[in-house]
Amino acid sequence: SIWRLLGPSEVLRDYFDIIYFGNRNYGIKAASLAYFDKNHLETLTTAEIITLLAIIRSPGVVNTGEQYFQERFERIKSLLKA
């Protein structure tokens, strides 16, 4: 399996490098630059990271102003605090 071949950290890193984040942004680095004007992931705040995680599930929602995005943000925030 790919998990045994690469390991969980590498699989997740590769996944975050290619996943779609909406607005023609593929990869977490492109998304952090587009949404927060930050080139380095280390400079993202916790809220910014949560925002990017919330986008993954429904990248099209980010521009619609729908309540779903806010609910996703709050859900992820609560999971990280647990």
Side-chain angles (χ1 to χ4, degrees):
S1 104
I2 194 164
W3 286 98
R4 280 189 241 146
L5 179 66
L6 295 176
S9 296
E10 289 81 10
V11 171
L12 287 173
R13 183 200 62 224
D14 291 348
Y15 175 74
F16 283 121
D17 282 345
I18 62 169
I19 193 168
Y20 183 61
F21 283 89
N23 292 324
R24 292 181 261 166
N25 294 295
Y26 288 88
I28 196 162
K29 292 176 187 175
S32 68
L33 182 60
Y35 294 120
F36 306 113
D37 197 30
K38 294 187 176 180
N39 285 318
H40 302 287
L41 299 178
E42 297 83 15
T43 62
L44 292 172
T45 66
T46 302
E48 291 167 342
I49 292 168
I50 293 170
T51 300
L52 293 174
L53 292 173
I55 292 171
I56 292 172
R57 187 163 184 192
S58 297
V61 175
V62 76
N63 287 332
T64 63
E66 293 182 29
Q67 185 176 354
Y68 173 83
F69 182 75
Q70 183 62 35
E71 291 170 359
R72 254 328 265 157
F73 179 91
E74 294 300 326
R75 173 78 173 129
I76 293 169
K77 189 167 94 174
S78 70
L79 289 172
L80 290 175
K81 287 183 179 179

